[in-house]
Amino acid sequence: VQLQASGGGLVQPGGSLRLSCAVSGSISGNNVMGWYRQAPGKQRDLVAVTSRGGSTSYADSVKGRFTISRDNAKNTVYLQMDKLEPGDTAVYYCNVRGVPPVPYNFWGQGTQVTVSS
């Protein structure tokens, strides 16, 4: 199983970016897909997750600015990031984890997001 993330880059404060992560390989259908981020010298933190049925959960710091979505037919998860702030600067990682009774946990390679003027 491989996760290929794309869409990172340099953006000015207040700008927008859209991250994509395509999952290739065989995984069970019932899973949670999400995005995490890690700033230099800090731990990796949850940004947003979404279930196969479309329910979502967000970190408080991104509520109202970021939107997570997924395309189950394409095994792809997206993160629309609006009103970006310098504090959003980090490496963003996508993740897919299976729901019991078929647990698994896979990570993408990370994509850099830098918010700076």
Side-chain angles (χ1 to χ4, degrees):
V1 175
Q2 290 187 328
L3 282 70
Q4 184 65 48
S6 61
L10 172 64
V11 63
Q12 292 186 345
S16 298
L17 283 175
R18 187 184 192 224
L19 305 183
S20 300
C21 178
V23 181
S24 60
S26 179
I27 55 174
S28 73
N30 195 9
N31 55 56
V32 175
M33 304 179 82
W35 291 93
Y36 294 72
R37 66 186 182 187
Q38 187 168 18
K42 296 188 176 182
Q43 66 181 20
R44 188 175 299 186
D45 291 326
L46 180 145
V47 176
V49 292
T50 179
S51 70
R52 182 172 179 82
S55 62
T56 59
S57 180
Y58 296 90
D60 287 343
S61 60
V62 306
K63 284 181 181 177
R65 301 188 298 120
F66 290 11
T67 304
I68 189 170
S69 61
R70 64 188 283 170
D71 184 330
N72 292 327
K74 295 181 179 180
N75 267 347
T76 300
V77 61
Y78 307 95
L79 185 68
Q80 177 66 40
M81 305 185 292
D82 299 317
K83 302 178 182 178
L84 282 160
E85 304 168 352
D88 296 318
T89 296
V91 178
Y92 283 69
Y93 297 90
C94 57
N95 172 268
V96 60
R97 55 183 173 86
V99 176
V102 187
Y104 50 81
N105 192 26
F106 299 109
W107 292 91
Q109 83 284 9
T111 184
Q112 177 70 46
V113 172
T114 302
V115 184
S116 175
S117 56

